[in-house]
Amino acid sequence: MREIFNRVEDSESVHIEVDIDTEDFQDSNPWLFSLFIKSSKIDEDSDAFDAFLETKESIIIALEHENRAKYVGSRVNEGWHEFYFYAKNSKNLESIVAHMLKESGYKYESSIVKDAKWDFYSKNLFPTELEFHNIQSDKIIFLLQEEGDDLLISRDVEHYVSFDTSSQKERFVQNALQNGFRFKDDISSEEFEYGAALLKEHAVTNEEIKKVVEELYELVKKEHGYYEGWSTTLAVESD
């Protein structure tokens, strides 16, 4: 499954696509193959972008043929489109790509190094816990938009948290109340007995949700807890 998100590195926004289902390949594919492509034609607003995406998928199919390599993700940074694969061995990967790109007109570079522990993948592609929450938030917001929600309308949004102990939860709730949240209910699950549902009134734009989730996440982590996500009701502006 591919997930898409943005990460800020050295004050620059990096667009990341990552395949999070790679467990079956991590023991058998120790070689990291990197392919960097740059061209003035690679612009999401240009007519040539669809052709570039077709080239990307063709390269993935070719390198994954007979389980030669596994595509694990890409990064877009400073005009370069970076594609990453983990391969069983270092043979033929560069020649396959060179054959496919020789008529493309794209400027490209490639390299292959051994990375048996998949350090690059875990540090530079795989989402952090907070980034996973932001990815999930984007999906919820997209569904709200599909239903005609006016994201700018403030409404009560429920946020859910869990803890290993009752004292952790109580300390967290007190801190959250001081930061503008309202307590709604105690909650529990099979995994965590001590949890809480909190309320805060705010809009559900990507910017506002990200700000509130990051604020709450910081409070949760101070008590070694777990942020579980959020939900809300549909809000449609009346005529």
Side-chain angles (χ1 to χ4, degrees), residues 82-183:
E82 311 168 3
F83 302 102
Y84 298 97
F85 302 79
Y86 278 88
K88 288 184 177 180
N89 58 63
S90 59
K91 299 178 181 178
N92 301 323
L93 301 176
E94 292 181 310
S95 61
I96 291 172
V97 168
H99 176 74
M100 297 183 70
L101 291 177
K102 66 180 180 179
E103 303 294 339
S104 68
Y106 299 139
K107 178 181 179 181
Y108 71 92
E109 301 174 1
S110 63
S111 66
I112 186 162
V113 297
K114 200 161 191 179
D115 183 17
K117 294 183 179 180
W118 285 47
D119 286 335
F120 183 89
Y121 173 77
S122 62
K123 295 176 182 177
N124 297 284
L125 292 171
F126 200 77
T128 65
E129 184 180 347
L130 181 55
E131 286 169 339
F132 263 119
H133 287 303
N134 289 335
I135 290 169
Q136 189 60 37
S137 291
D138 288 343
K139 293 178 180 179
I140 296 172
I141 291 169
F142 174 78
L143 293 175
L144 290 172
Q145 287 179 303
E146 288 290 290
E147 294 296 324
D149 193 297
D150 186 341
L151 305 179
L152 293 171
I153 296 178
S154 293
R155 82 291 301 267
D156 275 343
V157 179
E158 291 190 24
H159 296 268
Y160 310 104
V161 296
S162 298
F163 297 89
D164 293 315
T165 69
S166 175
S167 58
Q168 288 173 335
K169 185 193 76 173
E170 293 304 323
R171 286 194 300 268
F172 161 79
V173 169
Q174 292 304 313
N175 288 331
L177 294 178
Q178 295 175 15
N179 283 270
F181 292 89
R182 300 170 359 243
F183 178 79

Side-chain angles (χ1 to χ4, degrees), residues 32-49:
L32 172 64
F33 178 63
S34 308
L35 173 63
F36 292 7
I37 300 178
K38 188 173 186 178
S39 170
S40 59
K41 296 186 293 184
I42 304 177
D43 187 320
E44 291 190 17
D45 297 324
S46 71
D47 295 335
F49 190 65

Side-chain angles (χ1 to χ4, degrees), residues 211-224:
K211 182 181 74 173
V212 174
V213 168
E214 290 182 356
E215 176 188 8
L216 195 55
Y217 182 84
E218 183 177 349
L219 294 175
V220 170
K221 288 305 170 183
K222 284 182 178 178
E223 298 299 336
H224 309 289

Side-chain angles (χ1 to χ4, degrees), residues 133 159-163 187 189 191-192 226-230:
H133 287 303
H159 296 268
Y160 310 104
V161 296
S162 298
F163 297 89
I187 59 175
S189 64
E191 188 174 2
F192 298 105
Y226 310 91
Y227 180 72
E228 305 287 0
W230 60 273

Side-chain angles (χ1 to χ4, degrees), residues 17-70:
E17 177 183 79
V18 60
D19 189 329
I20 62 173
D21 298 322
T22 62
E23 293 86 354
D24 294 341
F25 299 88
Q26 293 188 14
D27 291 333
S28 58
N29 293 35
W31 291 92
L32 172 64
F33 178 63
S34 308
L35 173 63
F36 292 7
I37 300 178
K38 188 173 186 178
S39 170
S40 59
K41 296 186 293 184
I42 304 177
D43 187 320
E44 291 190 17
D45 297 324
S46 71
D47 295 335
F49 190 65
D50 287 342
F52 170 71
L53 292 181
E54 290 180 8
T55 300
K56 166 191 170 182
E57 294 302 325
S58 295
I59 291 172
I60 292 172
I61 291 170
L63 293 182
E64 289 191 336
H65 181 61
E66 296 182 346
N67 291 323
R68 180 184 291 113
K70 170 64 177 173

